[in-house]
Amino acid sequence: MEVIAAQALIQALEQENVSIVFGYPGGSILPVYDALVSSALKHVLVRHEQGAVFAANGYARATGRVGVCIATSGPGATNLVTGIADAYMDSVPLVIFTGQVPTTQVGTDAFQEVDITGITAPITKHNYLVKDHRKLLQTIKNAFYIAATGRPGPVLIDLPQDMLKTKISFRYPKSASLQSYKPVLEGHFGKINEAARLINKSRRPVIYAGGGILISQACEELKQLAEVISAPVTNTFRGLSCFSGKHPLFLGMLGLHGTRYANLAVNECDLLIALGVRFDDRVTGKVATFAPEAKIIHVDIDPAEIGKNVRIQVPIVGDVKVVLQALLPLLKKTDRAAWLQRIEELKSLYPLFYHQENVLKPQFVLEELYRLTDGEALIATDVGQHQMWTAQYYRFKKPGAIISSGGLGAMGFGLPAAIGAQLGLPEEKVILVTGDGSFQMTMSELATMVEQKLPLKIFILNNQSLGMVRQLQEFYYDKRYFGVNFEFVPDFVILAKAYGIPGYNVSTPDELTRRLPDILNTPGPVLVNCLIDPRENVLPMAL
Amino acid sequence: MRHTLTVLVANSPGVLYRVVGLFSRRGFNIDSLAVGQTENVNVSRMTIVVEGDALVLEQVTKQLRKLIDVIKVSNITAEEFVARELVLAKVTANPTQRGEIMQIADIFRARIVDLGRRTLTLECTGDEAKIKAFEESLRPYGIKELVRTGKIALLRGSKYTNVNNIKEEAM
């Protein structure tokens, strides 16, 4: 059947089982919007393109499916850049469609023309400029395949307007056509044996588990591994929720703002089992002194991550779930009582703590949220102090229950990502924990939330400043505070009212405890402006 | 240490940009880069000379392999290979100096490819050492302009670095 390319594109999305797209229209992409008119696809109109890409990102993180967003050429495309970079850093599968000026005008600095494939080359897994309509469908097939397989990531397809209006016959390819792209799933058998030998011999093993566990859905295998070999588990930020925060073997997050006992355990371990991680600088600090006594086993699907930052004794390239399934039968059940006793000792010597006072402490907000949701909620965060307090004090139980910008650390991520997550998982209770700085970056998406009738519970940990940056100035710039204290912060309760959302100010611990059950049980959205102690710091702060 | 990489890439738009972008972004140093179509019209071959220790080389290779358009990366440094570079040099040559310069060309088995009123343009191929010596010999006469292709290389004997049966790429 002959259709115009833009219609074929929409049909291709249906073939890929896409049910929702996030977007913002504009001149060049109009053929696609015209095709959306008669499609069953749900289109979510955001208020800024960054909202579209962050929402697709939140959707993909929450559901494990490919997130799709659409924007027009020029500024529409450049507004996506931060969200694409975020997906690239955190290995989130996205397919991004951008409009482009007609092929005849490409390269002439036409109105709303930018070289978006050039701009996004370093922050996409791959990208395409489709000038030839005959290549459109195969390109879409390839894009979804590339985005979702191996180490996932964003793939951008740039669509010149005239190409979108060309007639093509719709025959959607059954498979991707790529010459050399073949992710390796199975680990090398010899290396897996070697890993098993090291593990069985080890007296003080620590498991260092990251986002790869969540992506490959290896949470159950991770739990088995930890229990069989009696090894404590620490998480990277991106790995949080892959191992129950309530499990006695859980050490919490490691690294810069990780628990003291996780970092000490890594320091003392004789074997570090690194699973789906990338030895990020926020984890390792000085590479030379990281896990000084340990041999390291590193399992990752991306060969380039192995040996990139740290020397590895046993490298295993493969899907971490497949590798763990091969590894588990080779392991001896061991109790390692002395080591676990030492871990308990570290936990009791150096617990996470804060001083509860009459003012509202941010850590208390997170503890209360945890207590009342029993760790079952989906928590989206922005970036900054509140994000680290969430990582420390909310003990995630459900895999994938934290939606947050890790590698890129992009403020403004929270609200749109929460919108995407809630649309992807309508049954879940989604809570946004944000700060007054981050929230002001993308609060225009409140309109999207209301339009989509989403019952998000928004907690602004309001310290009327950019707390994390202020903390850095306190520690590293002799308290020369500059550019971090807001002289004006909007009244968020009145703002919520403008959007027709109930809003509350909360400024004491009692008030929070009293109000929280009702707030969490409200059927619709609620905004809670938590006036927290502005002097509070994220501690510990290692390194 | 300097390494010679042979990189087969899909002949698609933007592939050179992606490879070069990768090197600059990750701070790898390219000594030379030569690129052209191969015996297969869908495939181009890049010969890249890169400076770095074993760790750098490992990262360069792995990062290149991650690019979707990269088909194969071979580090041929330790293998037996033939490497050549082509240089074109335009040198000052008054009629009285032409004879000397032509003798130099003979020694290096270079060829005169153009003659101006006060210049000669020479073409020479060879490995790096020869090209360097050739350049040094011409320098006293005054090199007006010089251009080199960068190194290209093939393995000796019956070894190959290409991939057989690369399909007609649909993309």
Side-chain angles (χ1 to χ4, degrees), chain A residues 193-203 271 295-297 313-314 336:
Chain A
N193 266 313
E194 204 179 323
R197 213 157 32 80
L198 276 186
I199 293 170
N200 288 333
K201 227 173 52 182
S202 155
R203 294 168 59 188
L271 179 68
K295 292 198 162 137
I296 303 179
I297 298 167
Q313 277 71 43
V314 185
R336 294 191 169 89

Side-chain angles (χ1 to χ4, degrees), chain A residues 118 121-122 125-127 135 138-139 142 177-181 302-304 306 308, chain B residues 10 17-18 25-26 55 58-59 62-63 66 68-71 166-167 169-171:
Chain A
K125 194 168 166 186
H126 196 51
N127 64 25
K135 293 182 177 171
Q138 186 66 59
T139 301
N142 289 359
S177 159
L178 294 158
Q179 287 183 5
S180 55
Y181 175 76
D302 181 357
I306 292 177
K308 185 177 80 175
Chain B
Y17 175 83
R18 286 180 213 278
R25 182 166 86 86
R26 298 208 179 254
L55 268 178
E58 186 183 327
Q59 263 301 302
K62 285 172 165 179
Q63 294 294 347
K66 271 175 77 167
I68 304 288
D69 284 335
V70 167
I71 300 164
I166 289 175
K167 284 174 294 181
E169 192 23 13
M171 293 314 305

Side-chain angles (χ1 to χ4, degrees), chain A residues 88 121-122, chain B residues 1-9 14-35 46-53 55-67 70 72-75:
Chain A
Y88 186 68
Chain B
M1 189 189 162
R2 295 170 76 193
H3 297 262
T4 303
L5 302 182
T6 273
V7 184
L8 295 171
V9 298
V15 62
L16 181 62
Y17 175 83
R18 286 180 213 278
V19 169
V20 173
L22 174 80
F23 275 79
S24 69
R25 182 166 86 86
R26 298 208 179 254
F28 305 139
N29 289 322
I30 299 184
D31 269 15
S32 91
L33 183 152
V35 55
M46 295 182 180
T47 308
I48 306 176
V49 181
V50 56
E51 176 77 42
D53 58 19
L55 268 178
V56 168
L57 241 289
E58 186 183 327
Q59 263 301 302
V60 168
T61 312
K62 285 172 165 179
Q63 294 294 347
L64 280 170
R65 286 190 182 125
K66 271 175 77 167
L67 296 177
V70 167
K72 190 173 180 185
V73 183
S74 320
N75 183 355

Side-chain angles (χ1 to χ4, degrees), chain A residues 462 464 487:
Chain A
N462 187 349
Q464 314 198 31
E487 282 171 30

Side-chain angles (χ1 to χ4, degrees), chain A residues 268-287:
Chain A
E268 293 180 15
C269 73
D270 67 354
L271 179 68
L272 189 66
I273 307 166
L275 306 172
V277 295
R278 58 189 177 90
F279 294 85
D280 175 75
D281 57 284
R282 296 284 130 145
V283 162
T284 59
K286 261 196 236 122
V287 166

Side-chain angles (χ1 to χ4, degrees), chain B residues 8-159:
Chain B
L8 295 171
V9 298
N11 214 344
S12 57
V15 62
L16 181 62
Y17 175 83
R18 286 180 213 278
V19 169
V20 173
L22 174 80
F23 275 79
S24 69
R25 182 166 86 86
R26 298 208 179 254
F28 305 139
N29 289 322
I30 299 184
D31 269 15
S32 91
L33 183 152
V35 55
Q37 201 175 294
T38 62
E39 70 285 356
N40 180 334
V41 291
N42 299 309
V43 176
S44 286
R45 181 188 289 256
M46 295 182 180
T47 308
I48 306 176
V49 181
V50 56
E51 176 77 42
D53 58 19
L55 268 178
V56 168
L57 241 289
E58 186 183 327
Q59 263 301 302
V60 168
T61 312
K62 285 172 165 179
Q63 294 294 347
L64 280 170
R65 286 190 182 125
K66 271 175 77 167
L67 296 177
I68 304 288
D69 284 335
V70 167
I71 300 164
K72 190 173 180 185
V73 183
S74 320
N75 183 355
I76 61 170
T77 315
E79 312 257 346
E80 286 289 316
F81 65 91
V82 187
R84 290 290 180 271
E85 209 178 327
L86 168 69
V87 62
L88 289 174
K90 187 181 284 182
V91 285
T92 313
N94 293 318
T96 52
Q97 294 170 307
R98 279 184 194 158
E100 284 176 44
I101 293 172
M102 286 164 76
Q103 275 184 352
I104 290 173
D106 261 357
I107 292 166
F108 286 96
R109 280 186 266 170
R111 297 199 305 158
I112 312 282
V113 290
D114 189 42
L115 177 66
R117 283 209 319 157
R118 287 197 177 76
T119 60
L120 276 177
T121 303
L122 298 97
E123 164 201 314
C124 184
T125 62
D127 61 19
E128 207 183 333
K130 178 182 164 188
I131 298 292
K132 198 170 164 205
F134 177 64
E135 203 182 315
E136 287 308 315
S137 312
L138 293 177
R139 199 171 295 282
Y141 299 92
I143 298 175
K144 297 285 223 187
E145 257 187 313
L146 184 138
V147 56
R148 336 169 38 149
T149 54
K151 182 156 95 173
I152 57 171
L154 277 183
L155 289 180
R156 285 188 185 273
S158 50
K159 284 182 165 177

Side-chain angles (χ1 to χ4, degrees), chain A residues 331-537:
Chain A
L331 300 175
K332 281 200 304 245
K333 171 96 183 139
T334 327
D335 10 10
R336 294 191 169 89
W339 176 229
L340 292 188
Q341 199 187 335
R342 172 66 183 153
I343 295 293
E344 285 313 309
E345 189 184 358
L346 290 173
K347 280 185 181 176
S348 60
L349 278 173
Y350 308 104
L352 279 173
F353 72 95
Y354 65 96
H355 297 288
Q356 180 66 296
E357 296 164 29
N358 233 352
V359 285
L360 187 59
K361 292 288 183 173
Q363 298 93 332
F364 179 71
V365 178
L366 269 311
E367 282 186 333
E368 284 294 273
L369 281 175
Y370 171 72
R371 185 175 65 82
L372 284 164
T373 57
D374 196 25
E376 296 281 355
L378 212 91
I379 309 278
T381 85
D382 259 298
V383 170
Q385 288 183 313
H386 70 271
Q387 180 189 31
M388 291 300 114
W389 287 318
T390 305
Q392 293 174 336
Y393 288 91
Y394 195 94
R395 284 177 281 162
F396 293 93
K397 278 202 303 208
K398 265 198 284 192
I402 177 167
I403 309 284
S404 191
S405 170
L408 192 68
M411 291 170 67
F413 174 90
L415 177 59
I419 289 171
Q422 182 76 80
L423 282 162
L425 300 173
E427 306 301 320
E428 294 284 327
K429 185 175 286 297
V430 179
I431 296 173
L432 170 63
V433 178
T434 179
D436 51 309
S438 289
F439 187 65
Q440 286 186 72
M441 281 201 174
T442 49
M443 62 188 182
S444 49
E445 299 305 336
L446 281 174
T448 313
M449 176 189 84
V450 174
E451 208 162 76
Q452 299 296 326
K453 302 184 175 63
L454 302 176
L456 299 182
K457 308 295 178 278
I458 301 170
F459 291 82
I460 302 173
L461 303 192
N462 187 349
N463 53 12
Q464 314 198 31
S465 61
L466 302 174
M468 189 59 102
V469 188
R470 197 221 71 230
Q471 179 172 344
L472 290 172
Q473 289 181 344
E474 182 180 334
F475 289 150
Y476 297 125
Y477 295 86
D478 263 344
K479 303 188 179 179
R480 287 189 300 276
Y481 300 123
F482 189 81
V484 292
N485 292 312
F486 292 127
E487 282 171 30
F488 173 79
V489 177
D491 184 328
F492 290 114
V493 172
I494 296 180
L495 183 82
K497 203 174 170 193
Y499 286 93
I501 309 164
Y504 307 101
N505 286 317
V506 173
S507 54
T508 65
D510 289 347
E511 212 178 341
L512 181 80
T513 305
R514 205 173 57 240
R515 282 204 151 149
L516 208 45
D518 282 348
I519 288 167
L520 291 175
N521 288 326
T522 307
V526 183
L527 184 148
V528 187
N529 183 33
C530 304
L531 296 156
I532 59 160
D533 185 351
R535 298 157 307 167
E536 196 62 36
N537 283 326

